[in-house]
Amino acid sequence: MNNIKKIAVMTSGGDSPGMNAAIRSVVRACAYYKTECIGIYRGYQGMIDGDFVNLNARSVNNIINKGGTILKSARSTLFRTKAGRALAYEHLQKSQIDALVVIGGDGSFTGGVVFNKEYNFPIIGIPGTIDNDIFGTSHTIGYDTALNTAVEAIDKIRDTASSHKRLFFVEVMGRDAGFIALNAGVGSGAEEILIPEENLGLDRLLQSLKKSKKSGKSSSIVVVAEGHKTGENVYQLAKYVEDNLPEYEVRVSVLGHMQRGGSPSCFDRVLASRLGVKAVELLLEGKSNVMVGIKDNSVIITDLEKAIKGNHEISIELLKVSDIMTT
Ligand code: ATP
């Protein structure tokens, strides 16, 4: 017997395209299973402030294709304190909320685990982050869209790079994970890809660019993840290469927050729809403290603590493909 009569949903941490599709799915699944649904604005901060809204199946009309999140997102320092979490619990109690679906990244899941330990409050996590850095799912919601946005932008940069015979350093998001850089790099035919997981070394970079020039390439693209380990920031990296390879005219392009925006891809919409339904079904079955994810096109569940602590490894095979493609 489960006692879940009212489920709350929120988006937390960095926003990602497809979060709206996930909210819609949770709300519609609640309606389908005749369970009340509450939206919490601004993540954990909204929980502390009691910033709630009643949601029904019609509240989420026409949002499946919208970027961002209708519930807004936030990072809350207050929720990191016992006092903040006590306030949040008080508001949940007052509104008779029985369980929570958190759409976010590993920080948001950590907050969920801490809260569950303190108050034994049922929580399910849905991975929503463009970085794809969560263990227990091959894809996070928003990653596919961000990847396609990055590839589209790099394609455009390539047009201008080849017209002027320039070398472009293109920085993409990924402070700790190189999924966007590696996949966007391979997908856009980059000459080199610098990721946090691998230190290519400045010498190797110079040699590779020299080789590329010698082989007759007139322009080059180097895709750099924010958290790359080869040297300093992307501007210093570009200057180093310009100083050492004067034959190159070097430019830098930082894609930045545009990678978070835009209409979600079909892949992200479908993924979000599947994970939202599963999250509600699990809560109604009396499960808690797990994350829903996808593997080999099947929905799977992973303990939240495992999802936080585990490493989503970069593909060695893809690294090799990227090496071979730059020949
Ligand atoms: P992204 O991957 O896009 O950065 P995220 O979910 O990892 O998303 P964070 O800013 O790390 O984003 O975490 C979101 C929120 O989760 C924090 O602002 C905080 O309120 C809460 N949180 C994170 N870690 C803890 C913790 N140890 N204890 C309590 N709350 C936490």
Side-chain angles (χ1 to χ4, degrees), residues 9 57 62 79 96 109 118 122 170 180 227 259 262 267 309 324:
V9 58
N62 295 322
F79 194 77
Q96 295 175 309
F109 296 161
E118 275 172 1
V170 183
I180 294 182
Q259 294 162 92
F267 180 91
K309 288 186 188 136
I324 292 173

Side-chain angles (χ1 to χ4, degrees), residues 7-282:
I7 293 176
V9 58
M10 70 179 193
T11 47
S12 169
D15 64 304
S16 69
M19 279 184 160
N20 278 328
I23 295 167
R24 172 181 178 270
S25 172
V26 170
V27 173
R28 294 258 164 103
C30 282
Y32 180 85
Y33 289 111
K34 310 217 175 327
T35 304
E36 278 187 77
C37 190
I38 297 286
I40 300 178
Y41 286 112
R42 298 176 292 110
Y44 291 117
Q45 193 52 48
M47 222 162 115
I48 291 169
D49 299 338
D51 198 0
F52 302 162
V53 59
N54 288 319
L55 296 173
N56 62 41
R58 297 285 73 77
S59 321
V60 288
N61 285 348
N62 295 322
I63 65 166
I64 192 166
N65 56 334
K66 300 269 192 320
T69 155
I70 59 161
L71 291 177
K72 315 290 178 201
S73 192
R75 302 189 200 269
S76 167
T77 21
L78 200 48
F79 194 77
R80 292 176 185 273
T81 66
K82 254 185 179 309
R85 294 191 293 274
L87 268 176
Y89 184 66
E90 222 175 85
H91 282 295
L92 293 179
Q93 290 282 88
K94 224 188 260 172
S95 298
Q96 295 175 309
I97 293 167
D98 304 310
L100 176 67
V101 176
V102 180
I103 306 165
D106 56 354
S108 303
F109 296 161
T110 306
V113 167
V114 171
F115 192 68
N116 174 275
K117 278 193 180 142
E118 275 172 1
Y119 295 102
N120 194 25
F121 200 84
I123 288 182
I124 303 276
I126 297 183
T129 164
I130 63 165
D131 293 334
N132 208 34
D133 56 349
I134 308 246
F135 178 82
T137 190
S138 61
H139 291 75
T140 55
I141 296 167
Y143 166 60
D144 181 67
T145 307
L147 200 52
N148 284 302
T149 301
V151 167
E152 246 177 65
I154 297 167
D155 283 349
K156 287 177 181 151
I157 289 167
R158 183 177 287 285
D159 289 345
T160 169
S162 61
S163 303
H164 292 275
K165 301 188 171 187
R166 281 173 178 155
L167 164 63
F168 261 88
F169 282 83
V170 183
E171 186 189 270
V172 298
M173 279 190 169
R175 277 201 204 100
D176 306 305
F179 290 99
I180 294 182
L182 182 58
N183 285 274
V186 171
S188 62
E191 274 61 48
E192 281 295 348
I193 303 165
L194 309 183
I195 56 175
E197 292 86 347
E198 204 192 36
N199 188 350
L200 187 68
L202 287 168
D203 283 347
R204 204 356 267 280
L205 178 64
L206 289 183
Q207 273 165 25
S208 160
L209 291 172
K210 259 186 209 160
K211 200 179 96 192
S212 169
K213 188 91 175 170
K214 240 185 178 171
S215 75
K217 285 189 185 176
S218 58
S219 66
S220 292
I221 304 275
V222 177
V223 174
V224 185
E226 282 169 305
H228 73 97
K229 297 287 187 298
T230 312
E232 299 296 320
N233 70 40
V234 68
Y235 292 100
Q236 286 161 315
L237 199 60
K239 181 164 184 330
Y240 178 83
V241 169
E242 203 162 38
D243 289 348
N244 286 277
L245 299 175
E247 64 269 36
Y248 269 116
E249 195 186 336
V250 185
R251 292 287 184 274
V252 172
S253 184
V254 175
L255 299 189
H257 284 80
M258 66 178 284
Q259 294 162 92
R260 283 194 188 280
S263 181
S265 66
C266 181
F267 180 91
D268 277 328
R269 297 179 199 191
V270 174
L271 177 64
S273 302
R274 293 175 76 181
L275 299 188
V277 167
K278 189 67 179 178
V280 171
E281 287 178 346
L282 287 170

